[in-house]
PDB file of all heavy atoms in Angstrom:
ATOM      1  N   GLY A   9     115.758 -46.724 187.635  1.00 28.00           N
ATOM      2  CA  GLY A   9     115.834 -47.506 186.409  1.00 28.00           C
ATOM      3  C   GLY A   9     114.544 -47.435 185.636  1.00 28.00           C
ATOM      4  O   GLY A   9     113.588 -46.769 186.045  1.00 28.00           O
ATOM      5  N   ARG A  10     114.547 -48.079 184.543  1.00 33.00           N
ATOM      6  CA  ARG A  10     113.342 -48.123 183.718  1.00 33.00           C
ATOM      7  C   ARG A  10     112.274 -48.947 184.424  1.00 33.00           C
ATOM      8  O   ARG A  10     112.558 -49.827 185.215  1.00 33.00           O
ATOM      9  CB  ARG A  10     113.664 -48.794 182.392  1.00 33.00           C
ATOM     10  CG  ARG A  10     114.417 -47.966 181.431  1.00 33.00           C
ATOM     11  CD  ARG A  10     114.816 -48.837 180.277  1.00 33.00           C
ATOM     12  NE  ARG A  10     113.672 -49.541 179.712  1.00 33.00           N
ATOM     13  CZ  ARG A  10     112.857 -49.026 178.811  1.00 33.00           C
ATOM     14  NH1 ARG A  10     113.023 -47.785 178.415  1.00 33.00           N
ATOM     15  NH2 ARG A  10     111.851 -49.717 178.312  1.00 33.00           N
ATOM     16  N   LYS A  23     103.946 -66.027 182.673  1.00 82.00           N
ATOM     17  CA  LYS A  23     105.391 -66.111 182.864  1.00 82.00           C
ATOM     18  C   LYS A  23     105.735 -67.529 183.317  1.00 82.00           C
ATOM     19  O   LYS A  23     104.843 -68.324 183.573  1.00 82.00           O
ATOM     20  CB  LYS A  23     105.890 -65.054 183.843  1.00 82.00           C
ATOM     21  CG  LYS A  23     105.281 -65.116 185.230  1.00 82.00           C
ATOM     22  CD  LYS A  23     105.635 -63.912 186.060  1.00 82.00           C
ATOM     23  CE  LYS A  23     106.997 -64.035 186.704  1.00 82.00           C
ATOM     24  NZ  LYS A  23     107.280 -62.986 187.659  1.00 82.00           N
ATOM     25  N   GLY A  24     107.012 -67.812 183.391  1.00 84.00           N
ATOM     26  CA  GLY A  24     107.417 -69.166 183.763  1.00 84.00           C
ATOM     27  C   GLY A  24     107.692 -70.030 182.547  1.00 84.00           C
ATOM     28  O   GLY A  24     107.771 -69.529 181.427  1.00 84.00           O
ATOM     29  N   TRP A  26     107.940 -72.370 179.370  1.00 89.00           N
ATOM     30  CA  TRP A  26     107.161 -72.379 178.137  1.00 89.00           C
ATOM     31  C   TRP A  26     106.636 -73.783 177.859  1.00 89.00           C
ATOM     32  O   TRP A  26     107.330 -74.774 178.077  1.00 89.00           O
ATOM     33  CB  TRP A  26     108.026 -71.915 176.971  1.00 89.00           C
ATOM     34  CG  TRP A  26     108.198 -70.436 176.901  1.00 89.00           C
ATOM     35  CD1 TRP A  26     108.788 -69.639 177.825  1.00 89.00           C
ATOM     36  CD2 TRP A  26     107.758 -69.577 175.857  1.00 89.00           C
ATOM     37  NE1 TRP A  26     108.757 -68.335 177.427  1.00 89.00           N
ATOM     38  CE2 TRP A  26     108.131 -68.271 176.209  1.00 89.00           C
ATOM     39  CE3 TRP A  26     107.094 -69.779 174.645  1.00 89.00           C
ATOM     40  CZ2 TRP A  26     107.852 -67.163 175.400  1.00 89.00           C
ATOM     41  CZ3 TRP A  26     106.822 -68.695 173.843  1.00 89.00           C
ATOM     42  CH2 TRP A  26     107.195 -67.395 174.221  1.00 89.00           C
ATOM     43  N   LYS A  60     109.624 -59.504 175.715  1.00 87.00           N
ATOM     44  CA  LYS A  60     110.934 -59.841 176.264  1.00 87.00           C
ATOM     45  C   LYS A  60     111.058 -61.345 176.502  1.00 87.00           C
ATOM     46  O   LYS A  60     112.088 -61.967 176.207  1.00 87.00           O
ATOM     47  CB  LYS A  60     111.108 -59.093 177.588  1.00 87.00           C
ATOM     48  CG  LYS A  60     112.500 -59.075 178.108  1.00 87.00           C
ATOM     49  CD  LYS A  60     112.557 -58.110 179.284  1.00 87.00           C
ATOM     50  CE  LYS A  60     113.963 -57.968 179.795  1.00 87.00           C
ATOM     51  NZ  LYS A  60     114.064 -56.959 180.837  1.00 87.00           N
ATOM     52  N   SER A  61     109.981 -61.910 177.032  1.00 89.00           N
ATOM     53  CA  SER A  61     109.970 -63.343 177.289  1.00 89.00           C
ATOM     54  C   SER A  61     110.106 -64.114 175.976  1.00 89.00           C
ATOM     55  O   SER A  61     110.835 -65.108 175.910  1.00 89.00           O
ATOM     56  CB  SER A  61     108.665 -63.714 178.003  1.00 89.00           C
ATOM     57  OG  SER A  61     108.623 -65.084 178.260  1.00 89.00           O
ATOM     58  N   ARG A  65     113.186 -66.584 174.943  1.00 89.00           N
ATOM     59  CA  ARG A  65     112.904 -67.974 174.608  1.00 89.00           C
ATOM     60  C   ARG A  65     113.508 -68.309 173.238  1.00 89.00           C
ATOM     61  O   ARG A  65     114.086 -69.374 173.050  1.00 89.00           O
ATOM     62  CB  ARG A  65     111.395 -68.203 174.591  1.00 89.00           C
ATOM     63  CG  ARG A  65     110.973 -69.634 174.338  1.00 89.00           C
ATOM     64  CD  ARG A  65     111.447 -70.562 175.436  1.00 89.00           C
ATOM     65  NE  ARG A  65     111.070 -71.949 175.197  1.00 89.00           N
ATOM     66  CZ  ARG A  65     111.527 -72.983 175.881  1.00 89.00           C
ATOM     67  NH1 ARG A  65     112.386 -72.782 176.861  1.00 89.00           N
ATOM     68  NH2 ARG A  65     111.155 -74.209 175.606  1.00 89.00           N
ATOM     69  N   ASN A 115     125.859 -70.073 182.504  1.00 90.00           N
ATOM     70  CA  ASN A 115     125.462 -71.159 183.396  1.00 90.00           C
ATOM     71  C   ASN A 115     126.571 -72.195 183.527  1.00 90.00           C
ATOM     72  O   ASN A 115     126.842 -72.683 184.619  1.00 90.00           O
ATOM     73  CB  ASN A 115     124.193 -71.838 182.886  1.00 90.00           C
ATOM     74  CG  ASN A 115     122.957 -71.021 183.194  1.00 90.00           C
ATOM     75  OD1 ASN A 115     122.914 -70.278 184.166  1.00 90.00           O
ATOM     76  ND2 ASN A 115     121.950 -71.145 182.357  1.00 90.00           N
ATOM     77  N   THR A 119     128.262 -73.039 187.080  1.00 87.00           N
ATOM     78  CA  THR A 119     127.977 -74.331 187.700  1.00 87.00           C
ATOM     79  C   THR A 119     129.135 -75.310 187.586  1.00 87.00           C
ATOM     80  O   THR A 119     129.203 -76.258 188.341  1.00 87.00           O
ATOM     81  CB  THR A 119     126.738 -74.993 187.060  1.00 87.00           C
ATOM     82  OG1 THR A 119     126.977 -75.137 185.660  1.00 87.00           O
ATOM     83  CG2 THR A 119     125.506 -74.178 187.299  1.00 87.00           C
TER      84      THR A 119
ATOM     85  P    DT B  14     126.942 -79.007 195.159  1.00 76.26           P
ATOM     86  OP1  DT B  14     128.292 -79.573 194.949  1.00 76.26           O
ATOM     87  OP2  DT B  14     126.769 -77.645 195.706  1.00 76.26           O
ATOM     88  O5'  DT B  14     126.155 -79.094 193.774  1.00 76.26           O
ATOM     89  C5'  DT B  14     125.905 -80.392 193.211  1.00 76.26           C
ATOM     90  C4'  DT B  14     125.037 -80.239 191.982  1.00 76.26           C
ATOM     91  O4'  DT B  14     123.686 -79.927 192.383  1.00 76.26           O
ATOM     92  C3'  DT B  14     125.477 -79.139 191.015  1.00 76.26           C
ATOM     93  O3'  DT B  14     125.737 -79.748 189.768  1.00 76.26           O
ATOM     94  C2'  DT B  14     124.287 -78.171 190.977  1.00 76.26           C
ATOM     95  C1'  DT B  14     123.132 -79.055 191.416  1.00 76.26           C
ATOM     96  N1   DT B  14     121.978 -78.391 192.083  1.00 76.26           N
ATOM     97  C2   DT B  14     120.718 -78.591 191.560  1.00 76.26           C
ATOM     98  O2   DT B  14     120.498 -79.271 190.580  1.00 76.26           O
ATOM     99  N3   DT B  14     119.703 -77.945 192.257  1.00 76.26           N
ATOM    100  C4   DT B  14     119.846 -77.156 193.380  1.00 76.26           C
ATOM    101  O4   DT B  14     118.875 -76.642 193.912  1.00 76.26           O
ATOM    102  C5   DT B  14     121.203 -76.996 193.876  1.00 76.26           C
ATOM    103  C7   DT B  14     121.465 -76.168 195.086  1.00 76.26           C
ATOM    104  C6   DT B  14     122.190 -77.613 193.214  1.00 76.26           C
ATOM    105  P    DC B  15     126.296 -78.868 188.581  1.00 76.26           P
ATOM    106  OP1  DC B  15     127.198 -79.732 187.809  1.00 76.26           O
ATOM    107  OP2  DC B  15     126.755 -77.550 189.070  1.00 76.26           O
ATOM    108  O5'  DC B  15     124.979 -78.643 187.714  1.00 76.26           O
ATOM    109  C5'  DC B  15     124.148 -79.780 187.413  1.00 76.26           C
ATOM    110  C4'  DC B  15     122.906 -79.308 186.694  1.00 76.26           C
ATOM    111  O4'  DC B  15     122.008 -78.685 187.639  1.00 76.26           O
ATOM    112  C3'  DC B  15     123.140 -78.297 185.577  1.00 76.26           C
ATOM    113  O3'  DC B  15     122.495 -78.766 184.416  1.00 76.26           O
ATOM    114  C2'  DC B  15     122.525 -77.003 186.110  1.00 76.26           C
ATOM    115  C1'  DC B  15     121.459 -77.516 187.065  1.00 76.26           C
ATOM    116  N1   DC B  15     121.096 -76.639 188.209  1.00 76.26           N
ATOM    117  C2   DC B  15     119.749 -76.365 188.476  1.00 76.26           C
ATOM    118  O2   DC B  15     118.885 -76.840 187.729  1.00 76.26           O
ATOM    119  N3   DC B  15     119.427 -75.589 189.536  1.00 76.26           N
ATOM    120  C4   DC B  15     120.381 -75.104 190.319  1.00 76.26           C
ATOM    121  N4   DC B  15     120.019 -74.355 191.357  1.00 76.26           N
ATOM    122  C5   DC B  15     121.765 -75.379 190.087  1.00 76.26           C
ATOM    123  C6   DC B  15     122.072 -76.146 189.023  1.00 76.26           C
ATOM    124  P    DC B  16     122.869 -78.231 183.017  1.00 76.26           P
ATOM    125  OP1  DC B  16     122.695 -79.318 182.044  1.00 76.26           O
ATOM    126  OP2  DC B  16     124.143 -77.495 183.125  1.00 76.26           O
ATOM    127  O5'  DC B  16     121.717 -77.152 182.777  1.00 76.26           O
ATOM    128  C5'  DC B  16     120.354 -77.586 182.776  1.00 76.26           C
ATOM    129  C4'  DC B  16     119.445 -76.373 182.779  1.00 76.26           C
ATOM    130  O4'  DC B  16     119.453 -75.766 184.093  1.00 76.26           O
ATOM    131  C3'  DC B  16     119.862 -75.265 181.812  1.00 76.26           C
ATOM    132  O3'  DC B  16     118.691 -74.729 181.235  1.00 76.26           O
ATOM    133  C2'  DC B  16     120.497 -74.220 182.725  1.00 76.26           C
ATOM    134  C1'  DC B  16     119.575 -74.368 183.921  1.00 76.26           C
ATOM    135  N1   DC B  16     120.056 -73.797 185.197  1.00 76.26           N
ATOM    136  C2   DC B  16     119.104 -73.365 186.135  1.00 76.26           C
ATOM    137  O2   DC B  16     117.907 -73.489 185.864  1.00 76.26           O
ATOM    138  N3   DC B  16     119.520 -72.819 187.302  1.00 76.26           N
ATOM    139  C4   DC B  16     120.828 -72.711 187.550  1.00 76.26           C
ATOM    140  N4   DC B  16     121.187 -72.176 188.708  1.00 76.26           N
ATOM    141  C5   DC B  16     121.812 -73.157 186.618  1.00 76.26           C
ATOM    142  C6   DC B  16     121.384 -73.692 185.466  1.00 76.26           C
ATOM    143  P    DA B  17     118.585 -74.650 179.669  1.00 76.26           P
ATOM    144  OP1  DA B  17     118.636 -75.986 179.072  1.00 76.26           O
ATOM    145  OP2  DA B  17     119.516 -73.595 179.214  1.00 76.26           O
ATOM    146  O5'  DA B  17     117.090 -74.107 179.543  1.00 76.26           O
ATOM    147  C5'  DA B  17     116.039 -74.840 180.149  1.00 76.26           C
ATOM    148  C4'  DA B  17     115.045 -73.883 180.779  1.00 76.26           C
ATOM    149  O4'  DA B  17     115.628 -73.273 181.959  1.00 76.26           O
ATOM    150  C3'  DA B  17     114.592 -72.733 179.885  1.00 76.26           C
ATOM    151  O3'  DA B  17     113.199 -72.570 180.063  1.00 76.26           O
ATOM    152  C2'  DA B  17     115.399 -71.541 180.388  1.00 76.26           C
ATOM    153  C1'  DA B  17     115.569 -71.859 181.864  1.00 76.26           C
ATOM    154  N9   DA B  17     116.790 -71.363 182.506  1.00 76.26           N
ATOM    155  C8   DA B  17     118.062 -71.409 182.017  1.00 76.26           C
ATOM    156  N7   DA B  17     118.961 -70.918 182.846  1.00 76.26           N
ATOM    157  C5   DA B  17     118.235 -70.542 183.949  1.00 76.26           C
ATOM    158  C6   DA B  17     118.606 -69.954 185.175  1.00 76.26           C
ATOM    159  N6   DA B  17     119.853 -69.648 185.512  1.00 76.26           N
ATOM    160  N1   DA B  17     117.625 -69.701 186.071  1.00 76.26           N
ATOM    161  C2   DA B  17     116.368 -70.019 185.754  1.00 76.26           C
ATOM    162  N3   DA B  17     115.896 -70.568 184.628  1.00 76.26           N
ATOM    163  C4   DA B  17     116.892 -70.810 183.762  1.00 76.26           C
ATOM    164  P    DA B  18     112.375 -71.549 179.214  1.00 76.26           P
ATOM    165  OP1  DA B  18     111.020 -72.104 179.059  1.00 76.26           O
ATOM    166  OP2  DA B  18     113.161 -71.137 178.042  1.00 76.26           O
ATOM    167  O5'  DA B  18     112.298 -70.314 180.209  1.00 76.26           O
ATOM    168  C5'  DA B  18     111.675 -70.503 181.479  1.00 76.26           C
ATOM    169  C4'  DA B  18     111.863 -69.244 182.305  1.00 76.26           C
ATOM    170  O4'  DA B  18     113.240 -69.137 182.701  1.00 76.26           O
ATOM    171  C3'  DA B  18     111.512 -67.940 181.584  1.00 76.26           C
ATOM    172  O3'  DA B  18     110.413 -67.355 182.256  1.00 76.26           O
ATOM    173  C2'  DA B  18     112.790 -67.113 181.662  1.00 76.26           C
ATOM    174  C1'  DA B  18     113.573 -67.776 182.780  1.00 76.26           C
ATOM    175  N9   DA B  18     115.033 -67.687 182.682  1.00 76.26           N
ATOM    176  C8   DA B  18     115.814 -68.030 181.611  1.00 76.26           C
ATOM    177  N7   DA B  18     117.095 -67.846 181.817  1.00 76.26           N
ATOM    178  C5   DA B  18     117.161 -67.356 183.104  1.00 76.26           C
ATOM    179  C6   DA B  18     118.243 -66.958 183.919  1.00 76.26           C
ATOM    180  N6   DA B  18     119.516 -67.004 183.523  1.00 76.26           N
ATOM    181  N1   DA B  18     117.962 -66.528 185.155  1.00 76.26           N
ATOM    182  C2   DA B  18     116.692 -66.481 185.558  1.00 76.26           C
ATOM    183  N3   DA B  18     115.588 -66.818 184.890  1.00 76.26           N
ATOM    184  C4   DA B  18     115.902 -67.255 183.662  1.00 76.26           C
ATOM    185  P    DC B  19     109.854 -65.960 181.878  1.00 76.26           P
ATOM    186  OP1  DC B  19     108.391 -66.013 182.097  1.00 76.26           O
ATOM    187  OP2  DC B  19     110.401 -65.533 180.581  1.00 76.26           O
ATOM    188  O5'  DC B  19     110.488 -65.041 183.020  1.00 76.26           O
ATOM    189  C5'  DC B  19     110.365 -65.441 184.377  1.00 76.26           C
ATOM    190  C4'  DC B  19     111.139 -64.477 185.265  1.00 76.26           C
ATOM    191  O4'  DC B  19     112.549 -64.682 185.063  1.00 76.26           O
ATOM    192  C3'  DC B  19     110.847 -63.010 184.967  1.00 76.26           C
ATOM    193  O3'  DC B  19     110.463 -62.364 186.162  1.00 76.26           O
ATOM    194  C2'  DC B  19     112.167 -62.458 184.417  1.00 76.26           C
ATOM    195  C1'  DC B  19     113.192 -63.427 184.969  1.00 76.26           C
ATOM    196  N1   DC B  19     114.394 -63.608 184.109  1.00 76.26           N
ATOM    197  C2   DC B  19     115.667 -63.331 184.618  1.00 76.26           C
ATOM    198  O2   DC B  19     115.779 -62.926 185.778  1.00 76.26           O
ATOM    199  N3   DC B  19     116.747 -63.498 183.814  1.00 76.26           N
ATOM    200  C4   DC B  19     116.591 -63.939 182.572  1.00 76.26           C
ATOM    201  N4   DC B  19     117.680 -64.092 181.823  1.00 76.26           N
ATOM    202  C5   DC B  19     115.302 -64.232 182.036  1.00 76.26           C
ATOM    203  C6   DC B  19     114.242 -64.053 182.835  1.00 76.26           C
ATOM    204  P    DC B  20     109.945 -60.877 186.192  1.00 76.26           P
ATOM    205  OP1  DC B  20     108.938 -60.750 187.253  1.00 76.26           O
ATOM    206  OP2  DC B  20     109.642 -60.475 184.801  1.00 76.26           O
ATOM    207  O5'  DC B  20     111.261 -60.087 186.629  1.00 76.26           O
ATOM    208  C5'  DC B  20     111.932 -60.471 187.824  1.00 76.26           C
ATOM    209  C4'  DC B  20     113.083 -59.515 188.076  1.00 76.26           C
ATOM    210  O4'  DC B  20     114.194 -59.874 187.215  1.00 76.26           O
ATOM    211  C3'  DC B  20     112.752 -58.050 187.802  1.00 76.26           C
ATOM    212  O3'  DC B  20     113.184 -57.285 188.904  1.00 76.26           O
ATOM    213  C2'  DC B  20     113.514 -57.724 186.524  1.00 76.26           C
ATOM    214  C1'  DC B  20     114.655 -58.725 186.525  1.00 76.26           C
ATOM    215  N1   DC B  20     115.114 -59.218 185.187  1.00 76.26           N
ATOM    216  C2   DC B  20     116.484 -59.238 184.880  1.00 76.26           C
ATOM    217  O2   DC B  20     117.279 -58.823 185.722  1.00 76.26           O
ATOM    218  N3   DC B  20     116.865 -59.703 183.675  1.00 76.26           N
ATOM    219  C4   DC B  20     115.973 -60.141 182.800  1.00 76.26           C
ATOM    220  N4   DC B  20     116.407 -60.600 181.623  1.00 76.26           N
ATOM    221  C5   DC B  20     114.589 -60.136 183.084  1.00 76.26           C
ATOM    222  C6   DC B  20     114.198 -59.668 184.281  1.00 76.26           C
ATOM    223  P    DG B  21     112.671 -55.766 189.042  1.00 76.26           P
ATOM    224  OP1  DG B  21     112.468 -55.504 190.483  1.00 76.26           O
ATOM    225  OP2  DG B  21     111.595 -55.483 188.062  1.00 76.26           O
ATOM    226  O5'  DG B  21     113.969 -54.988 188.562  1.00 76.26           O
ATOM    227  C5'  DG B  21     115.218 -55.303 189.161  1.00 76.26           C
ATOM    228  C4'  DG B  21     116.334 -54.669 188.358  1.00 76.26           C
ATOM    229  O4'  DG B  21     116.528 -55.404 187.129  1.00 76.26           O
ATOM    230  C3'  DG B  21     116.054 -53.217 187.947  1.00 76.26           C
ATOM    231  O3'  DG B  21     117.264 -52.504 188.065  1.00 76.26           O
ATOM    232  C2'  DG B  21     115.661 -53.343 186.485  1.00 76.26           C
ATOM    233  C1'  DG B  21     116.582 -54.487 186.058  1.00 76.26           C
ATOM    234  N9   DG B  21     116.215 -55.197 184.840  1.00 76.26           N
ATOM    235  C8   DG B  21     114.952 -55.495 184.385  1.00 76.26           C
ATOM    236  N7   DG B  21     114.951 -56.147 183.247  1.00 76.26           N
ATOM    237  C5   DG B  21     116.293 -56.296 182.939  1.00 76.26           C
ATOM    238  C6   DG B  21     116.916 -56.918 181.839  1.00 76.26           C
ATOM    239  O6   DG B  21     116.388 -57.477 180.876  1.00 76.26           O
ATOM    240  N1   DG B  21     118.303 -56.843 181.915  1.00 76.26           N
ATOM    241  C2   DG B  21     119.001 -56.250 182.941  1.00 76.26           C
ATOM    242  N2   DG B  21     120.336 -56.274 182.854  1.00 76.26           N
ATOM    243  N3   DG B  21     118.434 -55.657 183.986  1.00 76.26           N
ATOM    244  C4   DG B  21     117.089 -55.717 183.920  1.00 76.26           C
ATOM    245  P    DC B  22     117.279 -50.930 188.295  1.00 76.26           P
ATOM    246  OP1  DC B  22     117.490 -50.728 189.732  1.00 76.26           O
ATOM    247  OP2  DC B  22     116.141 -50.289 187.581  1.00 76.26           O
ATOM    248  O5'  DC B  22     118.620 -50.538 187.517  1.00 76.26           O
ATOM    249  C5'  DC B  22     119.804 -51.310 187.742  1.00 76.26           C
ATOM    250  C4'  DC B  22     120.636 -51.331 186.482  1.00 76.26           C
ATOM    251  O4'  DC B  22     120.008 -52.179 185.496  1.00 76.26           O
ATOM    252  C3'  DC B  22     120.830 -49.956 185.828  1.00 76.26           C
ATOM    253  O3'  DC B  22     122.217 -49.708 185.700  1.00 76.26           O
ATOM    254  C2'  DC B  22     120.128 -50.071 184.477  1.00 76.26           C
ATOM    255  C1'  DC B  22     120.137 -51.584 184.222  1.00 76.26           C
ATOM    256  N1   DC B  22     119.023 -52.097 183.376  1.00 76.26           N
ATOM    257  C2   DC B  22     119.320 -52.796 182.197  1.00 76.26           C
ATOM    258  O2   DC B  22     120.498 -52.963 181.883  1.00 76.26           O
ATOM    259  N3   DC B  22     118.300 -53.252 181.437  1.00 76.26           N
ATOM    260  C4   DC B  22     117.044 -53.047 181.810  1.00 76.26           C
ATOM    261  N4   DC B  22     116.069 -53.530 181.029  1.00 76.26           N
ATOM    262  C5   DC B  22     116.722 -52.351 183.018  1.00 76.26           C
ATOM    263  C6   DC B  22     117.733 -51.893 183.760  1.00 76.26           C
ATOM    264  P    DA B  23     122.713 -48.354 185.116  1.00 76.26           P
ATOM    265  OP1  DA B  23     123.960 -48.038 185.852  1.00 76.26           O
ATOM    266  OP2  DA B  23     121.604 -47.377 185.061  1.00 76.26           O
ATOM    267  O5'  DA B  23     123.105 -48.746 183.627  1.00 76.26           O
ATOM    268  C5'  DA B  23     123.901 -49.907 183.400  1.00 76.26           C
ATOM    269  C4'  DA B  23     124.289 -49.978 181.938  1.00 76.26           C
ATOM    270  O4'  DA B  23     123.194 -50.553 181.176  1.00 76.26           O
ATOM    271  C3'  DA B  23     124.595 -48.629 181.295  1.00 76.26           C
ATOM    272  O3'  DA B  23     125.696 -48.793 180.412  1.00 76.26           O
ATOM    273  C2'  DA B  23     123.305 -48.266 180.565  1.00 76.26           C
ATOM    274  C1'  DA B  23     122.735 -49.644 180.200  1.00 76.26           C
ATOM    275  N9   DA B  23     121.284 -49.740 180.190  1.00 76.26           N
ATOM    276  C8   DA B  23     120.407 -49.231 181.109  1.00 76.26           C
ATOM    277  N7   DA B  23     119.140 -49.491 180.845  1.00 76.26           N
ATOM    278  C5   DA B  23     119.201 -50.226 179.671  1.00 76.26           C
ATOM    279  C6   DA B  23     118.195 -50.815 178.874  1.00 76.26           C
ATOM    280  N6   DA B  23     116.893 -50.732 179.151  1.00 76.26           N
ATOM    281  N1   DA B  23     118.591 -51.481 177.765  1.00 76.26           N
ATOM    282  C2   DA B  23     119.903 -51.555 177.492  1.00 76.26           C
ATOM    283  N3   DA B  23     120.934 -51.050 178.167  1.00 76.26           N
ATOM    284  C4   DA B  23     120.505 -50.394 179.259  1.00 76.26           C
ATOM    285  P    DG B  24     126.280 -47.552 179.631  1.00 76.26           P
ATOM    286  OP1  DG B  24     127.742 -47.731 179.646  1.00 76.26           O
ATOM    287  OP2  DG B  24     125.656 -46.300 180.128  1.00 76.26           O
ATOM    288  O5'  DG B  24     125.760 -47.794 178.149  1.00 76.26           O
ATOM    289  C5'  DG B  24     125.950 -49.084 177.563  1.00 76.26           C
ATOM    290  C4'  DG B  24     125.243 -49.132 176.224  1.00 76.26           C
ATOM    291  O4'  DG B  24     123.815 -49.267 176.436  1.00 76.26           O
ATOM    292  C3'  DG B  24     125.434 -47.887 175.349  1.00 76.26           C
ATOM    293  O3'  DG B  24     125.741 -48.319 174.034  1.00 76.26           O
ATOM    294  C2'  DG B  24     124.086 -47.158 175.432  1.00 76.26           C
ATOM    295  C1'  DG B  24     123.122 -48.325 175.651  1.00 76.26           C
ATOM    296  N9   DG B  24     121.887 -48.003 176.358  1.00 76.26           N
ATOM    297  C8   DG B  24     121.770 -47.311 177.540  1.00 76.26           C
ATOM    298  N7   DG B  24     120.529 -47.192 177.943  1.00 76.26           N
ATOM    299  C5   DG B  24     119.796 -47.859 176.975  1.00 76.26           C
ATOM    300  C6   DG B  24     118.396 -48.069 176.868  1.00 76.26           C
ATOM    301  O6   DG B  24     117.497 -47.700 177.636  1.00 76.26           O
ATOM    302  N1   DG B  24     118.062 -48.799 175.726  1.00 76.26           N
ATOM    303  C2   DG B  24     118.966 -49.266 174.807  1.00 76.26           C
ATOM    304  N2   DG B  24     118.474 -49.944 173.775  1.00 76.26           N
ATOM    305  N3   DG B  24     120.282 -49.075 174.892  1.00 76.26           N
ATOM    306  C4   DG B  24     120.620 -48.361 175.998  1.00 76.26           C
TER     307       DG B  24
END
Side-chain angles (χ1 to χ4, degrees):
Chain A
R10 284 172 53 85
K23 59 190 278 189
W26 281 62
K60 194 171 184 175
S61 180
R65 184 63 181 169
N115 282 332
T119 58

